[in-house]
Amino acid sequence: MLRTPLDANSIVARQRAFFETRVTLPLEWRREQLKALEGAARKHEADILAALKADLSKSPEEAYLTEVGSIYGELKNALKHVKAWMQPRRGSAPLVIQPARAYQYADPLGVTLIIAPWNYPYQLSIAPLIGALAAGCTAVLKPSEHAPETSRVLARMLGEAFPPEVVAVVEGAADESRRLLEERWDLIFFTGGTSVGRVVAEAAAKHLTPTVLELGGKSPCIVDRSADLEVTARRIAWGKYVNAGQTCIAPDYVLIPPELKGRFTDLVQKAVRSFYGPNARESGDYGRIINARHFERLCTLAADGKVAFGGERDAASRYFAPTVITDAPLSSPLMQEEIFGPLLPLVDCPSIDDAIRFVRARPKPLALYSFARDAAVNDRVLSETSSGGAVTNDVCVHFAAEGLPFGGVGDSGSGGYHGQASFDAFSHKKSVVKRPFALDLKLRYPPYVGKLGLFKRFL
């Protein structure tokens, strides 16, 4: 069936005309939109859970834990705090410009584009949309075509809740994304891989459009000899194999002293069996790879080392078992590319010094995880490495901390969101100084002869 070419220009023009009416500025309008979004989310909750099951084989429990429930939390937080977020923030006015009051105003950026990924296709679509609406922006959402059932539910759900001049959903594939990126936006919010992130940044640069880029990378786990190895293995296994490893902040590889590698492998295997039973294929809690192309990519990566356990797979159902791999060459694709699947390479790393050097020699990751009973070890890892976020003695849980901004650094992204950070991402921080006409001091006006000493004193 032939599709009508996307008229992106008309979509943007309609939203821009609406935004220019300034109707989005009042608190009441923003709260109405957030309540409408919450109502739509609750009305379509069963549809969302079914779509996530169809696209990624997520159980209802995992889908609620990792996607649906967190959206309710973000909405509750935004509705509670948006009034405070909108208030001008006081700044300091130096003596030389007194009498004066300094403020920072949050202006909505305007017409925004949100491009969402397929791995958490609901959560990573709606979370930035909450920020856009709270900030008083309009939004065009482009869900991922690789999660088609979720994309369809999002289009129906948001189409019922909002007129297209407020929120529009554009379904489609690369051609639709390309057409959208040709337009001038006031912000582009992109979640996805680093290579596509570069394409988005290049398109945005043509219009000097600001971007929030939530990318990925190879997030390391550093395991110290002082760590509780059983708890460490269980937590890493959970973070690695939830959503079949298709998580941007999943542990990508483990740096571990060589003498601990065998026991750690056994403990990860024990944890996997406690999660999914003797055969993860039969567990309703274990997901599937999103499509055949990514399945084949993982098969190729798995050949780069020795399978310590796991490795079973079925192309027809896109099942790939939880897998631990050892002895992979550091130059191999497994150790160079983001894995984004249930493969966990173990890398011999005799000391914390070696682990820190290993991490610092590579692009900055989206997340970093350090495991040690010795707090000084964890503190040293945090202070001597750079990453988008970090957790000590656990994995992934920083994503759930609503009061903390979530985002990357360097190759793993730029900008952040969640909670107030989402509101800030879609706002321009306008600096404002308010002065009266009274007390117009002559110090700043020419002639300046003889005033150098006063400038040095007051500036």
Side-chain angles (χ1 to χ4, degrees):
M1 183 177 68
L2 294 176
R3 285 188 306 198
T4 303
L6 173 66
D7 187 357
N9 185 262
S10 293
I11 295 173
V12 175
R14 185 173 185 175
Q15 288 206 353
R16 196 169 298 284
F18 178 76
F19 180 75
E20 289 302 323
T21 67
R22 316 310 285 165
V23 74
T24 71
L25 296 182
L27 171 64
E28 292 74 19
W29 185 89
R30 303 182 194 200
R31 279 182 164 162
E32 286 173 6
Q33 311 318 303
L34 293 170
K35 289 176 181 178
L37 182 55
E38 181 180 27
R42 294 194 182 279
K43 175 182 177 182
H44 290 276
E45 181 180 304
D47 297 331
I48 294 160
L49 295 174
L52 293 170
K53 180 68 174 178
D55 287 331
L56 288 151
S57 196
K58 290 188 182 185
S59 67
E61 294 80 7
E62 180 183 317
Y64 198 94
L65 174 68
T66 61
E67 301 211 47
V68 176
S70 65
I71 289 300
Y72 292 145
E74 287 276 350
L75 282 163
K76 180 180 179 181
N77 189 46
L79 282 164
K80 181 178 180 181
H81 295 292
V82 64
K83 181 179 180 180
W85 297 341
M86 290 174 63
Q87 298 305 306
R89 303 175 200 176
R90 286 294 297 265
S92 61
L95 182 63
V96 73
I97 67 169
Q98 291 294 345
R101 291 173 295 167
Y103 299 93
Q104 185 183 93
Y105 281 62
D107 284 350
L109 281 170
V111 181
T112 66
L113 173 64
I114 300 168
I115 303 177
W118 52 261
N119 58 325
Y120 290 86
Y122 175 70
Q123 200 275 340
L124 296 178
S125 294
I126 301 299
L129 180 60
I130 293 169
L133 295 173
C137 295
T138 68
V140 174
L141 170 65
K142 168 61 179 66
S144 174
E145 69 276 16
H146 299 302
E149 294 302 321
T150 307
S151 178
R152 279 191 278 272
V153 171
L154 285 168
R156 185 168 68 252
M157 165 183 144
L158 297 177
E160 292 175 4
F162 300 101
E165 60 267 27
V166 176
V167 177
V169 178
V170 173
E171 294 191 273
D175 187 59
E176 283 72 21
S177 295
R178 179 184 59 79
R179 290 176 183 272
L180 288 169
L181 288 172
E182 290 172 351
E183 298 299 319
R184 180 177 68 85
W185 303 91
D186 298 307
L187 175 76
I188 298 175
F189 190 111
F190 170 79
T191 306
T194 301
S195 59
V196 181
R198 292 191 177 97
V199 174
V200 172
E202 183 178 0
K206 294 177 182 177
H207 300 287
L208 298 180
T209 299
T211 59
V212 175
L213 302 176
E214 298 296 335
L215 308 179
K218 297 184 74 64
S219 297
C221 292
I222 296 174
V223 178
D224 182 60
R225 287 181 176 85
S226 69
D228 182 322
L229 207 59
E230 184 165 7
V231 174
T232 296
R234 182 164 58 247
R235 291 178 178 178
I236 290 175
W238 172 78
K240 182 61 182 180
Y241 301 124
V242 69
N243 200 29
Q246 299 166 117
T247 303
C248 60
I249 52 173
D252 198 89
Y253 60 92
V254 178
L255 300 171
I256 189 168
E259 71 272 17
L260 299 183
K261 190 165 61 176
R263 182 163 176 254
F264 179 81
T265 300
D266 291 342
L267 290 171
V268 171
Q269 188 172 19
K270 176 184 175 183
V272 167
R273 287 175 175 167
S274 72
F275 298 161
Y276 307 117
N279 185 355
R281 186 199 306 254
E282 298 174 359
S283 171
D285 291 319
Y286 188 70
R288 296 297 185 266
I289 306 306
I290 187 68
N291 57 36
R293 180 171 67 86
H294 282 283
F295 180 87
E296 290 303 322
R297 181 183 62 83
L298 291 169
C299 291
T300 301
L301 292 180
D304 286 341
K306 176 184 176 182
V307 174
F309 82 82
E312 300 85 8
R313 66 202 77 167
D314 175 61
S317 62
R318 304 190 309 281
Y319 166 78
F320 206 117
T323 301
V324 169
I325 294 178
T326 61
D327 305 321
L330 298 183
S331 60
S332 67
L334 182 70
M335 289 304 302
Q336 294 293 317
E337 302 172 7
E338 183 178 11
I339 294 171
F340 228 63
L343 311 177
L344 183 64
L346 308 186
V347 179
D348 290 352
C349 203
S351 71
I352 292 300
D353 288 339
D354 294 323
I356 291 172
R357 280 194 292 269
F358 191 97
V359 171
R360 288 176 62 90
R362 286 157 176 78
K364 296 177 181 179
L366 183 57
L368 182 145
Y369 308 116
S370 177
F371 292 83
R373 278 197 178 95
D374 186 346
V377 170
N378 285 332
D379 289 343
R380 187 179 166 206
V381 170
L382 292 177
S383 65
E384 296 184 25
T385 62
S386 178
S387 58
V391 182
T392 64
N393 301 331
D394 208 339
V395 298
C396 302
V397 294
H398 61 303
F399 189 86
E402 292 174 356
L404 297 179
F406 175 86
V409 59
D411 283 11
S412 61
S414 59
Y417 71 122
H418 287 183
Q420 184 172 346
S422 293
F423 174 89
D424 291 342
F426 287 86
S427 303
H428 165 62
K429 309 306 182 299
K430 181 169 66 179
S431 297
V432 175
V433 173
K434 296 182 177 182
R435 299 199 68 214
F437 286 112
L439 297 175
D440 189 30
L441 300 178
K442 307 302 182 184
L443 177 64
R444 66 172 175 168
Y445 298 120
Y448 294 126
V449 176
K451 295 181 179 179
L452 181 58
L454 290 172
F455 288 163
K456 287 184 177 180
R457 181 179 178 183
F458 291 111
L459 296 180

mmCIF file of all heavy atoms in Angstrom, residues 364-387:
data_model
loop_
_atom_site.group_PDB
_atom_site.id
_atom_site.type_symbol
_atom_site.label_atom_id
_atom_site.label_comp_id
_atom_site.label_asym_id
_atom_site.label_seq_id
_atom_site.Cartn_x
_atom_site.Cartn_y
_atom_site.Cartn_z
ATOM 1 N N LYS A 364 33.498 8.017 26.937
ATOM 2 C CA LYS A 364 32.779 8.121 28.204
ATOM 3 C C LYS A 364 31.445 7.386 28.123
ATOM 4 O O LYS A 364 30.645 7.656 27.228
ATOM 5 C CB LYS A 364 32.564 9.589 28.560
ATOM 6 C CG LYS A 364 33.866 10.332 28.803
ATOM 7 C CD LYS A 364 33.634 11.804 29.079
ATOM 8 C CE LYS A 364 34.962 12.526 29.304
ATOM 9 N NZ LYS A 364 34.779 13.970 29.562
ATOM 10 N N PRO A 365 31.177 6.466 29.056
ATOM 11 C CA PRO A 365 29.953 5.664 28.981
ATOM 12 C C PRO A 365 28.737 6.405 29.523
ATOM 13 O O PRO A 365 28.859 7.396 30.247
ATOM 14 C CB PRO A 365 30.280 4.456 29.852
ATOM 15 C CG PRO A 365 31.236 4.999 30.880
ATOM 16 C CD PRO A 365 32.054 6.037 30.161
ATOM 17 N N LEU A 366 27.566 5.892 29.171
ATOM 18 C CA LEU A 366 26.320 6.450 29.701
ATOM 19 C C LEU A 366 26.189 6.169 31.189
ATOM 20 O O LEU A 366 25.645 6.975 31.939
ATOM 21 C CB LEU A 366 25.129 5.867 28.931
ATOM 22 C CG LEU A 366 23.743 6.377 29.303
ATOM 23 C CD1 LEU A 366 23.653 7.893 29.153
ATOM 24 C CD2 LEU A 366 22.674 5.696 28.446
ATOM 25 N N ALA A 367 26.658 5.007 31.624
ATOM 26 C CA ALA A 367 26.597 4.641 33.045
ATOM 27 C C ALA A 367 27.853 3.886 33.422
ATOM 28 O O ALA A 367 28.499 3.263 32.574
ATOM 29 C CB ALA A 367 25.357 3.793 33.329
ATOM 30 N N LEU A 368 28.183 3.942 34.703
ATOM 31 C CA LEU A 368 29.327 3.201 35.230
ATOM 32 C C LEU A 368 28.924 2.625 36.581
ATOM 33 O O LEU A 368 28.299 3.316 37.396
ATOM 34 C CB LEU A 368 30.544 4.108 35.369
ATOM 35 C CG LEU A 368 31.829 3.436 35.866
ATOM 36 C CD1 LEU A 368 33.053 4.059 35.196
ATOM 37 C CD2 LEU A 368 31.973 3.556 37.389
ATOM 38 N N TYR A 369 29.322 1.364 36.821
ATOM 39 C CA TYR A 369 28.932 0.672 38.048
ATOM 40 C C TYR A 369 30.176 0.148 38.750
ATOM 41 O O TYR A 369 31.014 -0.531 38.133
ATOM 42 C CB TYR A 369 27.973 -0.475 37.711
ATOM 43 C CG TYR A 369 26.807 -0.023 36.864
ATOM 44 C CD1 TYR A 369 26.627 -0.497 35.565
ATOM 45 C CD2 TYR A 369 25.891 0.910 37.355
ATOM 46 C CE1 TYR A 369 25.556 -0.071 34.786
ATOM 47 C CE2 TYR A 369 24.833 1.348 36.583
ATOM 48 C CZ TYR A 369 24.667 0.859 35.298
ATOM 49 O OH TYR A 369 23.610 1.298 34.529
ATOM 50 N N SER A 370 30.282 0.470 40.042
ATOM 51 C CA SER A 370 31.436 0.071 40.825
ATOM 52 C C SER A 370 30.971 -0.709 42.045
ATOM 53 O O SER A 370 30.076 -0.262 42.770
ATOM 54 C CB SER A 370 32.221 1.318 41.266
ATOM 55 O OG SER A 370 33.309 0.973 42.092
ATOM 56 N N PHE A 371 31.578 -1.880 42.264
ATOM 57 C CA PHE A 371 31.171 -2.771 43.344
ATOM 58 C C PHE A 371 32.343 -2.990 44.295
ATOM 59 O O PHE A 371 33.374 -3.544 43.906
ATOM 60 C CB PHE A 371 30.708 -4.117 42.791
ATOM 61 C CG PHE A 371 29.422 -4.046 42.004
ATOM 62 C CD1 PHE A 371 29.434 -3.673 40.666
ATOM 63 C CD2 PHE A 371 28.208 -4.349 42.603
ATOM 64 C CE1 PHE A 371 28.251 -3.600 39.941
ATOM 65 C CE2 PHE A 371 27.025 -4.268 41.892
ATOM 66 C CZ PHE A 371 27.043 -3.899 40.556
ATOM 67 N N ALA A 372 32.169 -2.547 45.548
ATOM 68 C CA ALA A 372 33.211 -2.741 46.561
ATOM 69 C C ALA A 372 32.621 -2.517 47.938
ATOM 70 O O ALA A 372 31.823 -1.596 48.131
ATOM 71 C CB ALA A 372 34.377 -1.780 46.332
ATOM 72 N N ARG A 373 33.001 -3.348 48.889
ATOM 73 C CA ARG A 373 32.648 -3.061 50.283
ATOM 74 C C ARG A 373 33.451 -1.855 50.783
ATOM 75 O O ARG A 373 32.985 -1.119 51.642
ATOM 76 C CB ARG A 373 32.931 -4.276 51.169
ATOM 77 C CG ARG A 373 31.838 -5.336 51.167
ATOM 78 C CD ARG A 373 32.015 -6.257 52.365
ATOM 79 N NE ARG A 373 30.982 -7.266 52.443
ATOM 80 C CZ ARG A 373 31.093 -8.505 51.956
ATOM 81 N NH1 ARG A 373 32.222 -8.857 51.340
ATOM 82 N NH2 ARG A 373 30.120 -9.372 52.086
ATOM 83 N N ASP A 374 34.642 -1.708 50.255
ATOM 84 C CA ASP A 374 35.519 -0.613 50.645
ATOM 85 C C ASP A 374 35.024 0.674 49.983
ATOM 86 O O ASP A 374 35.177 0.871 48.771
ATOM 87 C CB ASP A 374 36.948 -0.939 50.201
ATOM 88 C CG ASP A 374 37.965 0.087 50.693
ATOM 89 O OD1 ASP A 374 37.551 1.176 51.139
ATOM 90 O OD2 ASP A 374 39.178 -0.212 50.602
ATOM 91 N N ALA A 375 34.431 1.554 50.768
ATOM 92 C CA ALA A 375 33.862 2.782 50.216
ATOM 93 C C ALA A 375 34.911 3.637 49.532
ATOM 94 O O ALA A 375 34.607 4.359 48.575
ATOM 95 C CB ALA A 375 33.173 3.571 51.325
ATOM 96 N N ALA A 376 36.162 3.569 50.011
ATOM 97 C CA ALA A 376 37.226 4.368 49.398
ATOM 98 C C ALA A 376 37.468 3.952 47.955
ATOM 99 O O ALA A 376 37.807 4.787 47.106
ATOM 100 C CB ALA A 376 38.512 4.244 50.216
ATOM 101 N N VAL A 377 37.286 2.669 47.665
ATOM 102 C CA VAL A 377 37.446 2.184 46.292
ATOM 103 C C VAL A 377 36.361 2.775 45.393
ATOM 104 O O VAL A 377 36.644 3.304 44.308
ATOM 105 C CB VAL A 377 37.414 0.644 46.250
ATOM 106 C CG1 VAL A 377 37.344 0.145 44.801
ATOM 107 C CG2 VAL A 377 38.634 0.067 46.946
ATOM 108 N N ASN A 378 35.111 2.694 45.850
ATOM 109 C CA ASN A 378 34.020 3.268 45.059
ATOM 110 C C ASN A 378 34.191 4.773 44.873
ATOM 111 O O ASN A 378 33.961 5.307 43.785
ATOM 112 C CB ASN A 378 32.673 2.973 45.721
ATOM 113 C CG ASN A 378 32.224 1.539 45.535
ATOM 114 O OD1 ASN A 378 32.582 0.888 44.560
ATOM 115 N ND2 ASN A 378 31.448 1.038 46.482
ATOM 116 N N ASP A 379 34.601 5.459 45.923
ATOM 117 C CA ASP A 379 34.802 6.901 45.819
ATOM 118 C C ASP A 379 35.905 7.228 44.825
ATOM 119 O O ASP A 379 35.815 8.210 44.071
ATOM 120 C CB ASP A 379 35.136 7.497 47.186
ATOM 121 C CG ASP A 379 33.947 7.503 48.139
ATOM 122 O OD1 ASP A 379 32.811 7.360 47.646
ATOM 123 O OD2 ASP A 379 34.164 7.644 49.350
ATOM 124 N N ARG A 380 36.925 6.436 44.809
ATOM 125 C CA ARG A 380 38.021 6.682 43.866
ATOM 126 C C ARG A 380 37.561 6.470 42.427
ATOM 127 O O ARG A 380 37.888 7.252 41.538
ATOM 128 C CB ARG A 380 39.190 5.750 44.187
ATOM 129 C CG ARG A 380 40.407 6.078 43.362
ATOM 130 C CD ARG A 380 41.579 5.208 43.665
ATOM 131 N NE ARG A 380 42.566 5.375 42.604
ATOM 132 C CZ ARG A 380 43.456 4.468 42.258
ATOM 133 N NH1 ARG A 380 43.507 3.309 42.901
ATOM 134 N NH2 ARG A 380 44.290 4.706 41.275
ATOM 135 N N VAL A 381 36.788 5.413 42.197
ATOM 136 C CA VAL A 381 36.264 5.171 40.852
ATOM 137 C C VAL A 381 35.402 6.354 40.407
ATOM 138 O O VAL A 381 35.508 6.840 39.272
ATOM 139 C CB VAL A 381 35.461 3.859 40.808
ATOM 140 C CG1 VAL A 381 34.715 3.725 39.478
ATOM 141 C CG2 VAL A 381 36.377 2.659 40.999
ATOM 142 N N LEU A 382 34.536 6.839 41.296
ATOM 143 C CA LEU A 382 33.660 7.954 40.950
ATOM 144 C C LEU A 382 34.459 9.215 40.626
ATOM 145 O O LEU A 382 34.118 9.961 39.703
ATOM 146 C CB LEU A 382 32.691 8.237 42.099
ATOM 147 C CG LEU A 382 31.629 7.173 42.383
ATOM 148 C CD1 LEU A 382 30.798 7.583 43.594
ATOM 149 C CD2 LEU A 382 30.731 6.943 41.183
ATOM 150 N N SER A 383 35.512 9.476 41.384
ATOM 151 C CA SER A 383 36.256 10.727 41.207
ATOM 152 C C SER A 383 37.218 10.675 40.025
ATOM 153 O O SER A 383 37.538 11.717 39.453
ATOM 154 C CB SER A 383 37.023 11.072 42.493
ATOM 155 O OG SER A 383 38.026 10.114 42.763
ATOM 156 N N GLU A 384 37.661 9.474 39.642
ATOM 157 C CA GLU A 384 38.693 9.374 38.610
ATOM 158 C C GLU A 384 38.166 8.923 37.261
ATOM 159 O O GLU A 384 38.952 8.732 36.319
ATOM 160 C CB GLU A 384 39.804 8.431 39.079
ATOM 161 C CG GLU A 384 40.542 8.953 40.301
ATOM 162 C CD GLU A 384 41.710 8.086 40.724
ATOM 163 O OE1 GLU A 384 42.257 7.362 39.853
ATOM 164 O OE2 GLU A 384 42.074 8.107 41.908
ATOM 165 N N THR A 385 36.860 8.746 37.132
ATOM 166 C CA THR A 385 36.265 8.396 35.839
ATOM 167 C C THR A 385 35.152 9.389 35.519
ATOM 168 O O THR A 385 34.656 10.090 36.389
ATOM 169 C CB THR A 385 35.681 6.975 35.845
ATOM 170 O OG1 THR A 385 34.619 6.910 36.820
ATOM 171 C CG2 THR A 385 36.739 5.934 36.160
ATOM 172 N N SER A 386 34.771 9.433 34.259
ATOM 173 C CA SER A 386 33.674 10.296 33.817
ATOM 174 C C SER A 386 32.638 9.441 33.102
ATOM 175 O O SER A 386 32.968 8.624 32.245
ATOM 176 C CB SER A 386 34.197 11.382 32.870
ATOM 177 O OG SER A 386 33.134 12.198 32.402
ATOM 178 N N SER A 387 31.379 9.635 33.479
ATOM 179 C CA SER A 387 30.278 8.903 32.850
ATOM 180 C C SER A 387 29.012 9.718 32.982
ATOM 181 O O SER A 387 28.926 10.632 33.811
ATOM 182 C CB SER A 387 30.085 7.523 33.510
ATOM 183 O OG SER A 387 29.836 7.660 34.901
#
